[in-house]
């Protein structure tokens, strides 16, 4: 994977709240700092990181909130305008966001006849106030349907690499592209349709959640196929190349956060009835389908 050093990094697509104390207030789900089953791996992987790529249902997981205040992007703007911008984790992730939104700006009306509505990715540290209530870093990256924003504490990537074993750099844009897949579902009304179905048929709630998550994986794959065609607002390509090794890194990340892989790592029984995001094989299958076809219309997990 190579990013174009001449591409303009549009920091307006990010709300940098890392200097705001996480939005104030109490934490959502605490991150234990000890080791073993009751420590970081046990709770974060088994309970919290199962939400990675999620966000649907957070209104019921947390108390209702106001969405928090905006951050101060001044420092981010300065870093991302510097010559070494692409060496900075936050600037690279901002450019990933730029690419993902540039793709959907064209793909959504082409595939579904709907105009794309841009949204921000919120960078936060430790805790944040969202439209879905208070959350902390232990939740992992998530999308909040109530305020239509993506949330991520960038230190999550260390957990993804060190604790879950998905160290490839392309795992990062995959995670963000998955979250924006949930934004597409929100724009198309898929989120709300699933919510109503879950209310009518609570016994099938987990299975419906799995289909929602796998669709977001497929949307991420469709973006990955087309990412080298995305450009900044001056027409400069954002990615100059994406290799098969990069795609393998995305697939590896998808597999590492499958429900079965998370359960096994936490030494818990693997129970498909409890899955909320899909097995490693399912996540690999649907990301690959999106990538192989490059067509988000092929991502209908609800009729498959």
């Amino acid at each position: 994977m190579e990013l174009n050093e001449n591409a303009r990094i549009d920091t307006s697509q990010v709300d940098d709240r890392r200097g705001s104390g996480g939005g104030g207030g109490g934490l959502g789900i605490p991150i234990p700092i000890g080791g073993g089953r009751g420590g970081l791996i046990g709770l974060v992987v088994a309970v919290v990181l199962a939400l990675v790529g999620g966000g649907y249902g957070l209104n019921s997981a947390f108390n209702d909130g106001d969405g928090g205040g905006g951050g101060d992007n001044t420092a981010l703007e300065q870093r991302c305008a510097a010559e070494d911008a692409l060496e900075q984790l936050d600037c690279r992730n901002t450019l990933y966001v730029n690419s993902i939104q540039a793709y959907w700006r064209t793909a959504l009306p082409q595939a579904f006849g709907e105009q794309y509505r841009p949204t921000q990715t919120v960078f936060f540290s430790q805790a944040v106030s969202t439209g879905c209530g208070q959350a902390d870093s232990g939740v992992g990256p998530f999308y909040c349907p109530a305020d239509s924003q993506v949330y991520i504490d960038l230190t999550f990537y260390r957990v993804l690499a060190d604790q879950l074993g998905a160290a490839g750099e392309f795992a990062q844009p995959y995670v963000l592209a998955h979250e924006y897949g949930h934004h597409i579902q929100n724009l198309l009304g898929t989120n709300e349709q699933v919510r109503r179905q879950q209310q009518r048929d609570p016994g099938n709630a987990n299975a419906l959640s799995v289909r929602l998550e796998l669709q977001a994986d497929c949307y991420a794959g469709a973006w990955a196929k087309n990412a080298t065609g995305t450009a900044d607002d001056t027409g400069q390509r954002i990615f100059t190349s994406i290799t098969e090794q990069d795609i393998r890194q995305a697939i590896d990340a998808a597999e590492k956060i499958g429900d079965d892989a998370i359960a096994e790592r936490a030494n818990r029984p693997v129970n498909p009835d409890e899955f909320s995001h899909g097995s490693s094989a399912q996540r690999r299958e649907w990301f690959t389908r999106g990538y192989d076809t490059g067509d988000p219309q092929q991502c209908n997990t609800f009729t498959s």
Side-chain angles (χ1 to χ4, degrees):
M1 177 186 74
E2 291 188 12
L3 290 166
N4 183 359
E5 62 182 14
N6 295 317
R8 190 181 83 84
I9 302 174
D10 182 2
T11 58
S12 71
Q13 296 184 26
V14 166
D15 179 6
D16 189 1
R17 300 189 200 171
R18 290 172 295 175
S20 66
L27 300 183
I29 305 174
I31 306 176
I33 58 177
R37 290 189 180 184
L40 183 63
I41 295 177
L43 181 59
V44 173
V45 172
V47 179
V48 183
L49 286 184
L51 291 172
V52 64
Y56 181 78
L58 279 179
N59 279 325
S60 60
F62 302 134
N63 294 327
D64 290 338
D66 296 327
D72 182 355
N73 279 20
T74 303
L76 181 67
E77 291 169 0
Q78 292 173 347
R79 277 195 302 279
C80 296
E83 291 185 0
D84 65 347
L86 294 184
E87 298 177 13
Q88 308 301 319
L89 177 66
D90 49 8
C91 295
R92 291 198 308 274
N93 273 263
T94 301
L95 199 53
Y96 300 152
V97 170
N98 296 165
S99 172
I100 295 163
Q101 298 214 90
Y103 166 68
W104 284 114
R105 194 173 295 116
T106 299
L108 191 65
Q110 286 183 345
F112 301 110
E114 298 285 343
Q115 292 301 307
Y116 180 69
R117 295 200 298 274
T119 192
Q120 288 185 312
T121 291
V122 177
F123 293 163
F124 71 96
S125 178
Q126 298 184 348
V128 67
S129 179
T130 82
C132 299
Q134 288 291 123
D136 73 12
S137 301
V139 175
F142 64 93
Y143 175 77
C144 172
D147 59 25
S148 302
Q149 294 190 113
V150 172
Y151 291 84
I152 184 170
D153 183 330
L154 294 174
T155 61
F156 166 76
Y157 294 134
R158 291 206 301 267
V159 176
L160 189 63
D162 298 342
Q163 304 293 345
L164 297 181
E169 186 173 359
F170 203 75
Q172 297 179 20
Y174 154 69
V175 166
L176 291 169
H178 178 105
E179 299 309 333
Y180 273 89
H182 288 301
H183 182 52
I184 297 305
Q185 291 168 331
N186 214 30
L187 295 179
L188 293 175
T190 312
N191 275 339
E192 185 56 33
Q193 291 171 16
V194 168
R195 183 187 296 275
R196 289 197 298 267
Q197 286 182 272
Q198 288 175 319
Q199 291 172 342
R200 290 194 299 266
D201 184 11
N204 202 31
N206 278 8
L208 289 166
S209 176
V210 167
R211 291 179 183 271
L212 199 70
E213 297 300 329
L214 295 178
Q215 186 176 63
D217 275 336
C218 187
Y219 286 159
W223 162 79
K225 183 70 170 185
N226 295 281
T228 54
T230 60
D232 66 12
D233 56 9
T234 69
Q236 288 278 350
R237 290 172 61 193
I238 293 175
F239 287 91
T240 57
S241 69
I242 292 175
T243 68
E244 286 302 315
Q245 180 181 359
D246 297 323
I247 300 306
R248 286 195 297 270
Q249 290 175 356
I251 292 172
D252 181 57
E255 292 177 330
K256 292 293 174 55
I257 55 178
D259 287 322
D260 52 344
I262 291 172
E264 289 172 357
R265 184 175 289 273
N267 294 316
R268 294 191 296 112
V270 176
N271 183 356
D273 291 336
E274 296 179 352
F275 287 0
S276 60
H277 283 61
S279 68
S280 296
Q282 288 174 316
R283 301 198 75 161
R284 176 182 65 244
E285 174 189 352
W286 281 98
F287 176 88
T288 302
R289 181 178 298 197
Y291 180 75
D292 286 347
T293 65
D295 180 4
Q297 288 183 308
Q298 304 304 311
C299 295
N300 192 344
T301 55
F302 296 92
T303 59
S304 174

